Amino acid sequence: MTQPPNDAGGSSSGLRKFRFGAGGEGNKDEGGARKFVKLAQTAEEYGYDTFAVPDHLGNQVGPLAALGALTQATTTIRLATSVLANGWRHPALLAKEATTIDVLSKGRLELGIGAGWMKEEFDKAGIEFESPGVRIRRLDEALTILDGLMRGETVDFDGEFYKINGLEGSPRPRQGPRPPIAVGGGGPKMLALAAKHADIISVAPGTTPDGKMKLSDMTIEKTAERVDRIRQAAGDRFDEIELNWTIAVIVITDDRVATAEMALKALEQGYPPNIAHDTEFTVDDVLSSPYIAIGSFEEIADQIREVRRRTTMSYVGVFPTQMDAFAPVLAQLKGE
């Protein structure tokens, strides 16, 4: 079983130590592809543990090529994909790219992969956007193949979607027995699949058919329910799995309540546009949500500690545009 970093836990409460993930897309808002490498180097200087690149066909760098560059431009920060769309890459080819990145980075890869969810991108590329059930079954097979090939094993596999005939995984990865695999999800089927295969699980809100995050899934209570679902599905594996979440909104303020009230009004008016207002939120819901961080640096640090206490999630991600704002919070929590 591949263990994520700091698998021994280490906090006085018996919970895992915090880890922190930043990321970048290399889009024009971040200064384009030319400044992408500098963004990752800045994340390393701040003390982030991981730098992740998403996988979209829009205005961003290609994740695998970009991570290849970062293997030489950074020295300590771990390098991740968050997450690759499985329908765009055959697992035999992906395994080779992944282990190459792991070797070049001297063992710093975390391979994040998911079923793919943005229908518009599949349509534009002329790639069939299969039903959720088919995409999940396809991902299940891909994860089985990746597990073997990234260990350097010889794989034979005869499945519904993939057929592998005596292929040996190469190059052998630097990490043993293979780089950690991360899978994210919010729905029961994806969380069960992640519990079966993943070393790291990104606990995300459920989404609407058009890809918006459900506000109803962003409460601390609903998040704890998703963690319990993982615990039940993983069984004895649960203690080996590192749980991640990504903060969607960070607002630094000395008046948490007033800012939360403003956030509620914005939600009612449809902002941010990537959140579906499918339920009524209270100020307490906003201030306790794992996905919304409002307050002073000290208050946000305390909120994150409380999220870990209530859910056991310990691997905190932030969006690229909020990397600077979150850095003082990271400094308070680093090592806990």
Side-chain angles (χ1 to χ4, degrees):
M1 174 67 192
T2 297
Q3 292 282 8
N6 75 35
D7 56 280
S11 73
S12 59
S13 62
L15 298 168
R16 282 179 179 268
K17 286 186 177 181
F18 285 118
R19 285 207 301 146
F20 300 95
E25 299 179 3
N27 60 35
K28 62 182 180 181
D29 293 333
E30 300 168 7
R34 289 182 303 166
K35 293 189 177 180
F36 174 80
V37 168
K38 179 59 180 176
L39 187 68
Q41 292 170 334
T42 300
E44 188 171 64
E45 291 167 5
Y46 278 144
Y48 284 92
D49 297 280
T50 307
F51 188 85
V53 187
D55 188 23
H56 294 294
L57 297 181
N59 180 24
Q60 69 154 82
V61 295
L64 297 176
L67 290 189
L70 295 185
T71 65
Q72 306 305 300
T74 61
T75 56
T76 59
I77 196 166
R78 293 181 66 78
L79 306 174
T81 53
S82 66
V83 295
L84 300 178
N86 179 58
W88 295 348
R89 296 173 184 84
H90 193 287
L93 303 179
L94 176 58
K96 181 170 288 290
E97 298 293 334
T99 54
T100 298
I101 290 170
D102 195 60
V103 171
L104 293 177
S105 67
K106 300 180 180 179
R108 291 186 282 142
L109 176 67
E110 293 177 11
L111 184 69
I113 185 168
W117 59 277
M118 288 191 69
K119 181 178 184 300
E120 178 185 6
E121 293 189 335
F122 279 77
D123 291 344
K124 286 182 176 180
I127 300 172
E128 182 182 1
F129 188 69
E130 298 161 325
S131 70
V134 171
R135 280 180 283 130
I136 289 172
R137 295 202 307 276
R138 181 184 291 277
L139 179 59
D140 190 4
E141 290 191 9
L143 287 166
T144 301
I145 294 166
L146 285 166
D147 178 65
L149 290 177
M150 289 202 303
R151 292 172 186 265
E153 296 175 352
T154 298
V155 173
D156 288 283
F157 186 88
D158 187 2
E160 179 183 359
F161 304 100
Y162 305 109
K163 299 185 187 304
I164 307 293
N165 301 304
L167 179 64
E168 181 180 356
S170 69
R172 286 184 173 272
R174 181 71 173 263
Q175 296 178 87
R178 59 156 173 75
I181 292 174
V183 178
K189 292 182 179 178
M190 274 301 298
L191 291 176
L193 180 64
K196 174 183 176 183
H197 289 284
D199 308 295
I200 302 165
I201 299 178
S202 184
V203 184
T207 57
T208 62
D210 58 353
K212 293 183 178 180
M213 292 185 292
K214 294 180 180 178
L215 184 62
S216 57
D217 269 4
M218 295 178 73
T219 64
I220 185 69
E221 292 81 10
K222 287 291 187 181
T223 306
E225 288 178 13
R226 291 196 293 281
V227 172
D228 284 340
R229 195 173 290 126
I230 294 169
R231 182 181 287 106
Q232 293 168 10
D236 293 341
R237 286 193 68 235
F238 182 76
D239 288 342
E240 301 173 353
I241 297 171
E242 185 177 36
L243 299 179
N244 159 260
W245 85 101
T246 298
I247 301 174
V249 179
I250 299 172
V251 181
I252 308 302
T253 176
D254 57 4
D255 193 335
R256 295 187 82 211
V257 173
T259 306
E261 290 170 345
M262 290 174 60
L264 288 175
K265 292 179 181 177
L267 287 166
E268 291 169 0
Q269 296 170 4
Y271 182 83
N274 64 331
I275 296 177
H277 193 266
D278 65 335
T279 189
E280 293 303 316
F281 243 41
T282 66
V283 168
D284 285 343
D285 288 333
V286 171
L287 295 180
S288 63
S289 171
Y291 305 97
I292 302 171
I294 295 174
S296 65
F297 299 130
E298 293 78 12
E299 287 170 330
I300 291 174
D302 285 341
Q303 178 187 348
I304 290 172
R305 292 185 184 102
E306 179 66 3
V307 169
R308 183 178 63 174
R309 186 189 70 81
R310 293 185 62 176
T311 68
T312 73
M313 299 190 303
S314 58
Y315 187 179
V316 188
V318 299
F319 285 107
T321 53
Q322 299 182 313
M323 187 177 79
D324 295 336
F326 189 78
V329 180
L330 181 156
Q332 291 192 35
L333 294 172
K334 192 80 170 175
E336 288 191 16

